[in-house]
Amino acid sequence: MVVNDQIKDKALFAEMEAKLYTAVLCDVMDDLGYRNQAMRETIRPLDPSFVCVGRAKTILAVDVYQLSGDPYKMEIESVDSVRPDEVIVACTNNSIRTGFWGELLSTAAQTRGARGVIVDGLVRDVKKIVALGFPVFAAGIKPVDSKGRSIVLNYDCPIECGGVAVSPGDIIMADYDGVAVVPKEIVADVLKRALIKVEKENKSRQDLIAGAYLRDVYRRYGTL
Amino acid sequence: MVVNDQIKDKALFAEMEAKLYTAVLCDVMDDLGYRNQAMRETIRPLDPSFVCVGRAKTILAVDVYQLSGDPYKMEIESVDSVRPDEVIVACTNNSIRTGFWGELLSTAAQTRGARGVIVDGLVRDVKKIVALGFPVFAAGIKPVDSKGRSIVLNYDCPIECGGVAVSPGDIIMADYDGVAVVPKEIVADVLKRALIKVEKENKSRQDLIAGAYLRDVYRRYGTL
Amino acid sequence: MVVNDQIKDKALFAEMEAKLYTAVLCDVMDDLGYRNQAMRETIRPLDPSFVCVGRAKTILAVDVYQLSGDPYKMEIESVDSVRPDEVIVACTNNSIRTGFWGELLSTAAQTRGARGVIVDGLVRDVKKIVALGFPVFAAGIKPVDSKGRSIVLNYDCPIECGGVAVSPGDIIMADYDGVAVVPKEIVADVLKRALIKVEKENKSRQDLIAGAYLRDVYRRYGTL
Amino acid sequence: MVVNDQIKDKALFAEMEAKLYTAVLCDVMDDLGYRNQAMRETIRPLDPSFVCVGRAKTILAVDVYQLSGDPYKMEIESVDSVRPDEVIVACTNNSIRTGFWGELLSTAAQTRGARGVIVDGLVRDVKKIVALGFPVFAAGIKPVDSKGRSIVLNYDCPIECGGVAVSPGDIIMADYDGVAVVPKEIVADVLKRALIKVEKENKSRQDLIAGAYLRDVYRRYGTL
Amino acid sequence: MVVNDQIKDKALFAEMEAKLYTAVLCDVMDDLGYRNQAMRETIRPLDPSFVCVGRAKTILAVDVYQLSGDPYKMEIESVDSVRPDEVIVACTNNSIRTGFWGELLSTAAQTRGARGVIVDGLVRDVKKIVALGFPVFAAGIKPVDSKGRSIVLNYDCPIECGGVAVSPGDIIMADYDGVAVVPKEIVADVLKRALIKVEKENKSRQDLIAGAYLRDVYRRYGTL
Amino acid sequence: MVVNDQIKDKALFAEMEAKLYTAVLCDVMDDLGYRNQAMRETIRPLDPSFVCVGRAKTILAVDVYQLSGDPYKMEIESVDSVRPDEVIVACTNNSIRTGFWGELLSTAAQTRGARGVIVDGLVRDVKKIVALGFPVFAAGIKPVDSKGRSIVLNYDCPIECGGVAVSPGDIIMADYDGVAVVPKEIVADVLKRALIKVEKENKSRQDLIAGAYLRDVYRRYGTL
């Protein structure tokens, strides 16, 4: 059963990566009344080539000001429990005190099958992460460790990241335009509508390249 | 007559692209007492290779919070009215709610002969815009559409963009160092002085590479 | 004597560039109780390939609002007095009014033997600086000159840059992850510990790639 | 009919002013799943004594950069159309360029029967407004007029103010703790629950004053 | 001669305090094309009762990071050189590191005849300053001294304060609505027009109180 | 023994309230090399009359995004464990999502003997807190509860508040100029020096009122 779900997920994510992009997902969710599904513009891919699609595995990290006995306990637990095709989405409450994520965590997550990481805070070891080809999206880069600066408080719980509510199991798509969150209950509908909208956009593009005016193209296909 | 002007513009812009850059334009305007002609550092090219020079065609967009009957009306009108060798300069009042500009608008503007776009807000479809080779400069990237978030209120009107007043017909030059606005009434003077300053900078550079001290180079050419 | 010091410095900096990186320096300084040695995440390399290590030569620049008689006097003096293997660290109090640093200053500093520049403000002539291969790290880019906007008030004095106190002679290491400041009095200790930590990280990496869980790797090597 | 509604409104608003406050309204809306009904902390009363309750009359103002023919047209229209017991809620998109509201507008609105004004931008003539006893809540104070800086684009339309969506007819309550927006469809339920919660808080207070521990009080009444 | 000027100034300032206010000055300067004469909204009076009018005596302070030999030298000189009826306008480049101004400086300035202080940074000893009845306007309050944090670099020089260019000798008016800067070359014109505008506003007010609609009042007097 | 300490504390705090103020404490700590002991200027008293001195009892609160089983557990525990003459110092990591502190908590803390509260976040029920005469200093006001928005993670632990490190047992003094933190290990020295400095300031003040120039007063007493 679970295996079946995983197979379905893999097919879904492959199709999304091949045919869709965050902009069209956001347009379609707008039409469905979900108007706050794109994260803030400050969360950017570490490399321009990065794209990732997967199920959200959420992590909540918080700032602290002392070294506790076992500072990495929950962070280790959260990463070791990653399942294939998940995208880690980490809320640090926009902390700029620490590089929350780094190369060794990336290696570990990749080994577990994670498809990427979205974090509203800072990361480090960026060149090594890029060399791994592991799609990490973050709000910035700083070379300090989280030890004594933040701890993972919880995981697999509701969070906010980049101004968007994220629940475990939501579909995350991230590309060069940003990060979109598709609530799990509307995935099928969003997918169907997005594929249709991509078609329209392709036609609009062709007509525009052929020299048509926007007013005519918009009248024809109803999309910009 | 208008055709003559267009030919003159083309020659002017070609010369500027070939010989000048934003830094020297700003220095020369400083000397003429125009000291606020460079836009804020937050407005960056989508691609490092982007350079553009042209006449400003201004657009004023404003944030709204509902879908009106015809949300794209003025936006379509403004883009369809672009003339060859214009650079669209769009004021969104620094809005980060929407991707004001995208690929289809770029295609349309490029077809009309636009030389680029400067926007103080966010854009989307960035990889496709870069593939078009259409120089867009923006304050950031977000995958959401403007529908229900902002409308074009007016165009071909005075605006502010990146902290600089821009009037229709001003000359815009944008490169990797930023965006400079040359008021139309001082273009000839700026151009003449800028070409002279470039010469001095070339001499300074040669002497410095040869090992000269700054104090001697500055005494010699009066420029850094 | 001084020559001996310079030879030692060259060897030290070469070893650091070859074997170390800012992240491991910060971890080791954290352990020694120096927990605020990484500059703010806003200071970034102009080119992803830039790395630099050297002795801090500090400059303090301040914003002004008029042209004084000799606006570049102290700036010229500060750059002309650069010694080989120094890294210029400039505090502009985070000014975004001016491009404090540019190509001609880079050429001059490079000729004097400087290894790079760190500035908490803006710079210009970026493509030419990148072409020089001179590692400049800055908070942003703007094409305007400092003339009438800022002056160098002092140099070889204590400053703050990117939120970190910097004294002349401290060791600066800057790479894609950011900028670390190693106070001169702890350099030897930091170096020794950093080399050990790099070894542990290498082992952790190998085990993780081999599929080990984080909990086991952390138990084994005590490092993430 | 409309007169009846107005009489009901008056009674409702009087009861709310007498017995309720923004904090208890927010708690009750939280419990009902309406968790973003309190405006940002930057919107403050011009005078500590100000309290106001009423139906939202919304205004949307936008920044412009030139004097149009009739700059106050829509602003005048919007204020002249105010009905008794309305609270004007104005979105300026957080503009700090202009004093959007002032004394003469306050006098006009008060004459029409308005109960107050909430604006996410700046105001002027503050001492005169305070002397009128007209409750204005704003994000700051600046002595410049809106002429050539902003225009009213629309009114009686959905807006956002202080980060909260506001529709015409929602109930606004503003006091020293801030501004709460009660969507019109839940007013009755909110009112009923708020009155009950006030009772519990009164009991908690009495016990705490009598020396009880929080743990006991919270166990007893389930409220802090 | 100088004495004559001082007598004229005293009369001018008395008339302005009695009959005018910052809002009307800004409106009149707007009409004359001086549209950036009101300081940012962050600069507020330490006490709501504070009003001050006088000639600008400018001070430029800059942040430093070490104790120099004589840290107060220029600050003392600048305050000891204050002349009667001057308003000190201090640019700290918006520094929040230090309480630039305090009670003893207020006492000294008041003794010299200063009419007030405007500072774009922080101040301390606020309750004592308020007790002196000396009108200080500042961007905030912090109890630390400037020693080792900032020095006065220059005075009686052009500066910017709160985003407005200020030259020595400009007229400053500050009240609860903010701080207006009247360039010395337009003082007479501004004064004349402002007195006329006050009259119109008085008439508008009376009509509005009497129940008139804004549209009629604006048609009648052309002012809001 | 503990009782003895409490008696000593009471005497100490009474003397500090009677004779000292935050500005002089900061000056003296500056001289001792403790140069970051004043909190950010954003933390202000809810009422201008508020002054408080006491031992720091620290609380660390963090933002969360769901309702846990027992959201107030640690918050209740932390407040119920307050001892006489303590000042609660709460770090919320500058959260503006919630009113962390309110009237009932104030009543509870006051009953336990607390002398005040310093919080780097927002509070609510402000008029009731002011009526209690309980000195609360905060970064702002918002009427929403912490339930589902933040939890107390720990207390009696090292924190940062307003940019200053605070350890349990440090002495806190807060007045209209701000909040000063005196590390417990230097209290006696600070107290002694502060009393001497107050004397010098009194003499400076008298001379300045008598008309002396700053340069002479500074030469005489070495203090501004």
Side-chain angles (χ1 to χ4, degrees), chain A residues 1-220:
Chain A
M1 208 65 153
V2 169
V3 171
N4 261 358
D5 281 1
Q6 279 188 13
I7 292 171
K8 273 191 218 151
D9 265 11
K10 258 193 212 311
L12 171 68
F13 302 156
E15 183 177 17
M16 288 178 73
E17 277 202 28
K19 301 184 186 162
L20 299 179
Y21 33 91
T22 55
V24 76
L25 293 180
C26 291
D27 286 357
V28 162
M29 289 193 282
D30 270 357
D31 288 345
L32 293 170
Y34 290 72
R35 293 183 61 82
N36 188 36
Q37 300 306 123
M39 291 189 189
R40 249 192 299 278
E41 77 286 1
T42 47
I43 302 183
R44 300 293 305 147
L46 295 186
D47 189 83
S49 69
F50 282 169
V51 174
C52 84
V53 184
R55 294 253 162 222
K57 177 184 183 77
T58 59
I59 293 180
L60 176 61
V62 297
D63 278 5
V64 298
Y65 300 87
Q66 69 175 149
L67 259 173
S68 69
D70 197 351
Y72 297 127
K73 185 177 178 297
M74 290 289 276
E75 185 168 16
I76 287 174
E77 204 178 297
S78 67
V79 175
D80 278 347
S81 64
V82 164
R83 282 157 304 187
D85 300 312
E86 286 186 332
V87 173
I88 293 172
V89 184
C91 169
T92 70
N93 288 310
N94 309 305
S95 178
I96 56 170
R97 293 177 63 230
T98 171
F100 169 78
W101 191 261
E103 176 222 1
L104 295 182
L105 294 173
S106 294
T107 304
Q110 204 179 27
T111 307
R112 297 279 85 76
R115 287 171 158 263
V117 171
I118 317 293
V119 51
D120 67 2
L122 311 180
V123 298
R124 61 178 195 164
D125 309 323
V126 172
K127 293 212 150 183
K128 290 175 193 150
I129 293 174
V130 170
L132 287 174
F134 185 63
V136 174
F137 291 68
I141 300 171
K142 196 173 187 182
V144 297
D145 186 43
S146 59
K147 202 163 58 173
R149 294 191 181 88
S150 81
I151 58 166
V152 170
L153 180 66
N154 200 358
Y155 60 92
D156 295 337
C157 58
I159 58 167
E160 257 183 52
C161 184
V164 180
V166 183
S167 289
D170 287 344
I171 301 293
I172 305 297
M173 177 163 203
D175 59 22
Y176 199 67
D177 279 352
V179 185
V181 179
V182 185
K184 48 182 165 298
E185 58 274 19
I186 59 168
V187 171
D189 198 9
V190 167
L191 192 71
K192 199 180 62 186
R193 286 164 180 258
L195 292 169
I196 295 169
K197 181 146 202 296
V198 166
E199 279 315 295
K200 284 192 195 171
E201 290 183 9
N202 289 343
K203 288 181 186 155
S204 295
R205 185 182 302 113
Q206 287 167 349
D207 289 13
L208 288 168
I209 291 171
Y213 279 86
L214 268 181
R215 59 176 175 265
D216 300 321
V217 170
Y218 184 58
R219 205 180 306 129
R220 227 168 276 155

Side-chain angles (χ1 to χ4, degrees), chain F residues 201-219:
Chain F
E201 289 184 9
N202 289 341
K203 287 180 186 155
S204 294
R205 184 182 302 114
Q206 286 166 350
D207 289 14
L208 288 169
I209 290 171
Y213 279 85
L214 269 180
R215 59 176 176 265
D216 300 321
V217 169
Y218 184 58
R219 205 181 306 127

